[in-house]
Amino acid sequence: MYSRSSEPVRFERDCAAVLVPAGEHVTLPAGSAGYITQALGGSYTLFVEGNLFRISGRDADAIGKEPPVPLELPDGADDAAVERMVWSQLRTCFDPEIPINVVDLGLIYEADVQAADDGQRRLEVKMTLTAPGCGMGDILVDDVRSKLELIPTVVEADVELVFDPPWNRSMMSEAARLETGML
């Protein structure tokens, strides 16, 4: 949430945003003022006029920030290199309200790389949410999908939201449990 250490920003242009935690897509107009409350994984959570909003890293310029650097793979990278990048990218996906990535939260159940004969790859990911009714569920799924599809050679990331087995805090990494006080 907003604190005295939150960085103030002013929107330099109209910007697509998502209302947190409802998940509603809105446009924040140029000239709006707010504060960055979380800047993790290339996206930003902002406190604007009493509400929290999330903006994508591709819209970072709207608040005077640099967009993320494009991903690169070495020529001839094998499936293992792509799989390492998949897990690295998954660690850039954050719930806008919790400063812990979806991997350490234990939300990713499976990430499978499937190579095609033409050198392209498809990904199949199974993930869950901390609560089935989470308003940000579709936003998190889209964030995972869009970040994985930034990986060179990945033509499609199929992200399936599942609730079996149900998530529980034992699925979190020890560091995540420590960070949230659930150790």
Side-chain angles (χ1 to χ4, degrees):
M1 194 49 123
Y2 166 75
S3 72
R4 289 182 190 206
S5 63
S6 297
E7 180 182 349
V9 293
R10 181 168 302 278
F11 284 83
E12 299 171 8
R13 63 171 175 81
D14 290 355
C15 182
V18 177
L19 181 62
V20 176
E24 179 182 340
H25 292 269
V26 298
T27 299
L28 294 172
S32 296
Y35 297 89
I36 297 173
T37 63
Q38 181 172 287
L40 298 168
S43 62
Y44 299 87
T45 302
L46 298 112
F47 182 79
V48 179
E49 296 181 8
N51 293 296
L52 287 177
F53 297 92
R54 181 169 184 257
I55 67 166
S56 169
R58 69 178 169 269
D59 288 317
D61 66 302
I63 57 171
K65 300 293 183 186
E66 292 292 322
V69 176
L71 298 174
E72 293 182 14
L73 272 175
D75 290 338
D78 62 6
D79 290 345
V82 173
E83 185 172 353
R84 284 190 298 276
M85 188 170 274
V86 163
W87 286 100
S88 178
Q89 277 296 90
L90 288 169
R91 284 183 172 85
T92 70
C93 299
F94 289 82
D95 182 304
E97 298 175 294
I98 306 170
I100 300 169
N101 69 69
V102 296
V103 174
D104 287 335
L105 277 174
L107 300 181
I108 304 299
Y109 288 168
E110 180 180 309
D112 186 39
V113 177
Q114 300 174 349
D117 293 335
D118 61 0
Q120 302 295 324
R121 293 174 175 93
R122 287 179 171 45
L123 307 175
E124 289 187 6
V125 175
K126 290 186 180 178
M127 70 176 287
T128 195
L129 303 172
T130 57
C134 175
M136 293 300 292
D138 290 341
I139 305 305
L140 284 171
V141 167
D142 185 59
D143 190 38
V144 167
R145 179 183 301 109
S146 63
K147 285 187 175 179
L148 292 176
E149 289 178 348
L150 293 173
I151 298 172
T153 74
V154 171
V155 294
E156 180 183 17
D158 179 24
V159 181
E160 182 182 359
L161 194 57
V162 299
F163 296 101
D164 187 32
W167 179 88
N168 66 70
R169 69 183 187 188
S170 72
M171 296 172 168
M172 298 168 69
S173 70
E174 186 175 333
R177 288 194 306 272
L178 181 63
E179 176 81 19
T180 59
M182 295 182 174
L183 194 56

